[in-house]
Amino acid sequence: MSHIGFLGIVGRVFIWSFLLGLVVVVVYPLLWMVMNGFKTNTELFGNPFALPLDWSWESYVNAWNRGVSGYLAASVLVTVTSTITTVFISAWAAYGLTRVRLPFGGATAGFILGGLMLAPTVALVPLVKMFQSMGLYNTFWALLILYTAFRIPFTTFLIRAYMIDLPREVDEAAEVDGASRWTAFWRIILPMSKPIIISVVILHVLFSWNEYLFAMVFTSGTDMQTLPVGLTSLMSKHGTDYPVVFAGMVIAALPVVVLFFICQRYFVKGLSEGIGK
């Protein structure tokens, strides 16, 4: 065996070992969380790494009945609505920045992208006072506005980077055929931008589904509490049923995991073609 062939084998073994270790690091905590949702408190503290003696769904049922169903519904409502509004506004803004000759177009793009530097924590107190004065505090609209406003700059940046290299001949052909700007955007540019649209949808879903600060501050004590905030109510000062907590965490993570695996091909393609440009 040649020296180069030996190095190739060693390299492949190293890469596969690294990937296997990465799978263990990422997957095992998830499996451990799922497994402990089937245990009792006694089993969990007695041997946290052993398989459950009795694979009972009781903890999952208790978690669902103790409010997780309501928190899940609130998270779905906020996530879906904010994703639709954010992606639509960002795609329309990106189309304007790449396809329409605007006065001070560069400054406009810089102003929008400058929103990436705005830290939500810095604006927290003024936002609370503003929403209280507007009567939107502790409402669904507070989270919808916040999740949309703070994600538009980043989402616009990604979609704009993808749209820049789309062929302009399609716009000219649509204009020759009498299509309006809106028709060209909706019927041509948006379908051509499908990979990056799916990517930003997944990114926004991950953000809004897991966001804690705004959800805690702006929906405290209301029926609009989302999963990250609502799951903390499963913890008790006088004794926590940890299998119920783990079961709630599994229920909260399952929709996002399923969505990612369904759309991962478009997600990787969209980010590689968008950020890489």
Side-chain angles (χ1 to χ4, degrees), residues 104-165:
F104 308 106
T108 303
F111 177 76
I112 294 176
L113 300 180
L116 292 171
M117 297 182 290
L118 180 62
T121 52
V122 175
L124 195 60
V125 174
L127 285 172
V128 170
K129 294 184 177 180
M130 183 180 72
F131 279 81
Q132 286 176 337
S133 64
M134 297 172 62
L136 297 177
Y137 189 75
N138 278 343
T139 66
F140 157 78
W141 296 103
L143 292 183
L144 175 60
I145 294 172
L146 291 170
Y147 289 179
T148 301
F150 277 93
R151 295 298 290 183
I152 282 178
F154 178 67
T155 307
T156 303
F157 167 75
L158 291 181
I159 300 177
R160 175 179 175 271
Y162 191 92
M163 286 185 177
I164 284 177
D165 286 350

Side-chain angles (χ1 to χ4, degrees), residues 193-255:
S193 304
K194 182 179 178 181
I196 193 63
I197 295 297
I198 293 178
S199 297
V200 297
V201 164
I202 295 176
L203 289 174
H204 186 86
V205 167
L206 291 174
F207 162 78
S208 58
W209 193 264
N210 298 309
E211 200 282 326
Y212 181 79
L213 180 62
F214 285 152
M216 178 187 66
V217 173
F218 290 90
T219 62
S220 178
T222 70
D223 294 333
M224 277 308 303
Q225 284 186 339
T226 56
L227 279 166
V229 178
L231 288 176
T232 60
S233 65
L234 298 179
M235 308 288 289
S236 174
K237 295 180 180 180
H238 306 290
T240 300
D241 192 346
Y242 285 98
V244 174
V245 176
F246 284 124
M249 294 169 64
V250 172
I251 296 173
L254 188 59

Side-chain angles (χ1 to χ4, degrees), residues 8-66:
I9 294 175
V10 172
R12 286 195 293 270
V13 170
F14 175 78
I15 292 175
W16 280 107
S17 300
F18 173 76
L19 293 176
L20 181 61
L22 189 62
V23 168
V24 171
V25 170
V26 174
V27 175
Y28 179 74
L30 297 177
L31 295 178
W32 184 81
M33 183 173 66
V34 173
M35 180 182 64
N36 283 327
F38 291 98
K39 294 182 178 180
T40 63
N41 251 348
T42 303
E43 289 183 73
L44 179 60
F45 286 101
N47 195 344
F49 300 103
L51 294 175
L53 298 177
D54 181 20
W55 294 81
S56 172
W57 291 92
E58 183 179 357
S59 295
Y60 288 89
V61 174
N62 289 339
W64 185 265
N65 293 333
R66 286 176 58 177

